[in-house]
Amino acid sequence: GNCGGNGACGKCKVRIISGKVGEPTLVELGALTPGELKLGWRLACQQQVQGDITVELRGLKDAFDRKLDLQSVAAEVEIDAVEKLFVVMDPPAIGDQRADWERLQSCLHRDDQMPNPKVLESLPHILRRNNFRVTAVLLGGQFISVEGGDTTQRKFGLALDIGTTTVLGVLVDLNTGSAVTSSAATNSQNVFGADVISRITYTITEPEGLKKLQSKVLGTLNEIIVNLLGKAGLDKNEVYEATVVGNTTMSHLFMGIDPKSLSYSPFIPVYSGPVEAAAGELGLEIHPLARVHVLPNIAGYVGADTVGVMLATRIYEKEGYCLAIDIGTNGEVILAGEGRILTCSTAAGPAFEGAQIQNGMRAAEGAIEGVYIEDGEVRLDVIGNSPPSGICGSRLRPH
């Protein structure tokens, strides 16, 4: 549920199909109607499972489609950090006994680097399997890989948006800067609460809580990566860069950095500048030496995702005053004008949908997501075209 299993929000309803559960608790009697109880609906967080049990979950429709639509409006960008160089070398001979690494360097006219052990591991096999015709991959001027044959047209990167509720990944062709395909998934950290405070609290109160939350989000990201690679027909070692954004808490949890100080005044993050790390160190399933860029945070509750909005919209180049609003689980507002940018944030999703709106609910089947007046008649847009059972945050926001 949105409250992280404390029984306060009543949003983790499940219907018991078979199996034994206890009598309804006082919390359930307050959160569920007699009709719901009669049909077998209970609050999952209040149950003690006493054996095999089968439950029905309310179908959720997260904002996958809306986020995936962003791929179509993304502008092409120039990317030059990854360099690929195809070389054809003379094989070793009695009169030419240079080591494999030195042979490669001399063909590239580069002798300024020490070899990376990871590159050396596979170098002799790749050279001989491909008759000494290979492609060297350099990231920021550093060798990270040697590939068989001419692979200069295959350079890929990732753009990853770690939302509190929904995680989005876009595969980018680094030769053209254009999006190839995209994929989204629910952030599996949601089992520890729908909002960032619930998740921070979990890292404080539970042993290994921070490690569990990091593992959850990495699992979601790697699920997305597998999906992207499958759709594009790529190997994970063909992805050499990733750029990651998320609110300040999500960025901390992604990197395994303790977010505790974000939960109390004056809400200070551990870091605010950009961070870089190797994918293998973080556990992202792309090339292990790929560079992962985490964009900078602005404040405790204005994060790298807001920086991403600024960069994508180029709001700092707009004439006059311009306002950008990002309404998600956390909501941010950006106001730009006269050479200044101001930002602020507040809870949005859980505040609207979780515990503070009497008929608030997630974007599930039956949620009202649109209300219109046409010819004096009220018309509703309901997710799943089913009878309305509540109202979700997208309808509560101002239009």
Side-chain angles (χ1 to χ4, degrees), residues 230-376:
K231 288 196 287 187
L234 300 178
D235 183 88
K236 69 176 186 177
N237 289 310
E238 295 179 287
V239 181
Y240 310 106
E241 279 198 292
T243 297
V244 179
V245 301
N247 64 50
T248 310
T249 302
M250 292 301 104
S251 297
H252 278 55
L253 294 176
F254 165 65
M255 292 184 289
I257 297 173
D258 188 349
K260 179 167 55 180
S261 59
L262 292 169
S263 64
Y264 54 84
S265 182
F267 312 109
I268 303 301
V270 174
Y271 77 97
S272 60
V275 176
E276 290 186 1
E281 294 174 5
L282 289 170
L284 277 186
E285 291 295 330
I286 55 178
H287 193 291
L289 296 179
R291 188 164 54 191
V292 181
H293 310 268
V294 182
L295 293 192
N297 296 310
I298 297 171
Y301 286 92
V302 184
D305 49 355
T306 303
V307 175
V309 171
M310 293 177 186
L311 294 172
T313 60
R314 296 183 180 273
I315 194 170
Y316 44 85
E317 296 178 351
K318 307 291 185 184
E319 292 186 7
Y321 288 93
C322 190
L323 195 69
I325 303 174
D326 178 4
I327 300 179
T329 307
N330 284 353
E332 295 88 21
V333 177
I334 307 164
L335 176 63
E338 296 186 358
R340 297 182 67 201
I341 300 178
L342 302 177
T343 63
C344 64
S345 69
T346 189
F352 285 157
E353 302 166 353
Q356 303 306 317
I357 301 298
Q358 182 175 351
N359 296 109
M361 64 181 290
R362 287 283 304 280
E365 183 174 341
I368 298 170
E369 63 172 351
V371 180
Y372 308 93
I373 306 296
E374 292 184 349
D375 301 324

Side-chain angles (χ1 to χ4, degrees), residues 36-237:
E36 286 177 319
L37 288 168
K38 186 176 180 180
L39 289 172
W41 287 96
R42 305 293 292 273
L43 298 184
C45 71
Q46 299 295 298
Q47 304 309 311
Q48 288 190 349
V49 178
Q50 301 171 24
D52 292 342
I53 188 171
T54 304
V55 300
E56 173 188 330
L57 303 178
R58 299 180 69 182
L60 293 180
K61 182 180 173 64
D62 278 319
F64 290 178
D65 293 342
R66 293 186 183 93
K67 284 206 169 187
L68 291 172
D69 284 344
L70 294 175
Q71 173 189 336
S72 63
V73 299
E76 293 189 357
V77 294
E78 293 185 12
I79 303 169
D80 58 7
V82 179
E83 186 180 9
K84 277 194 160 186
L85 302 170
F86 176 58
V87 293
V88 178
M89 292 175 278
D90 293 327
I94 294 297
D96 181 2
Q97 298 185 17
R98 288 172 296 171
D100 290 340
W101 177 254
E102 282 67 29
R103 184 179 303 276
L104 175 62
Q105 283 187 308
S106 66
C107 288
L108 295 171
H109 306 291
R110 298 180 64 109
D111 57 2
D112 57 338
Q113 293 184 39
M114 294 294 291
N116 187 302
K118 289 291 184 183
V119 178
L120 295 182
E121 282 179 14
S122 56
L123 183 61
H125 312 291
I126 290 174
L127 290 178
R128 286 157 181 82
R129 260 200 317 265
N130 295 278
N131 297 318
F132 289 83
R133 300 166 62 88
V134 296
T135 299
V137 185
L138 293 91
L139 177 58
Q142 302 294 313
F143 285 97
I144 65 165
S145 184
V146 178
E147 300 169 348
D150 184 354
T151 63
T152 53
Q153 297 305 305
R154 298 177 70 84
K155 292 194 300 187
F156 299 93
L158 289 173
L160 301 171
D161 177 9
I162 305 175
T164 313
T165 301
T166 306
V167 181
L168 172 69
V170 178
L171 184 70
V172 179
D173 186 328
L174 298 182
N175 277 313
T176 64
S178 60
V180 177
T181 187
S182 59
S183 179
T186 297
N187 188 334
S188 57
Q189 292 176 333
N190 63 355
V191 298
F192 304 114
D195 60 277
V196 295
I197 293 297
S198 295
R199 297 184 197 177
I200 294 172
T201 300
Y202 188 83
T203 70
I204 298 170
T205 59
E206 295 294 326
E208 303 294 315
L210 177 58
K211 187 175 292 186
K212 291 177 183 177
L213 280 161
Q214 183 188 29
S215 176
K216 281 289 186 183
V217 74
L218 283 170
T220 301
L221 290 167
N222 286 329
E223 172 191 333
I224 287 172
I225 290 170
V226 168
N227 195 339
L228 291 172
L229 295 176
K231 288 196 287 187
L234 300 178
D235 183 88
K236 69 176 186 177
N237 289 310

Side-chain angles (χ1 to χ4, degrees), residues 7-11 13 25-33 36-37 43:
C9 69
K11 303 303 175 184
K13 295 178 184 178
T25 65
L26 290 175
V27 170
E28 289 178 299
L29 292 173
L32 300 167
T33 66
E36 286 177 319
L37 288 168
L43 298 184

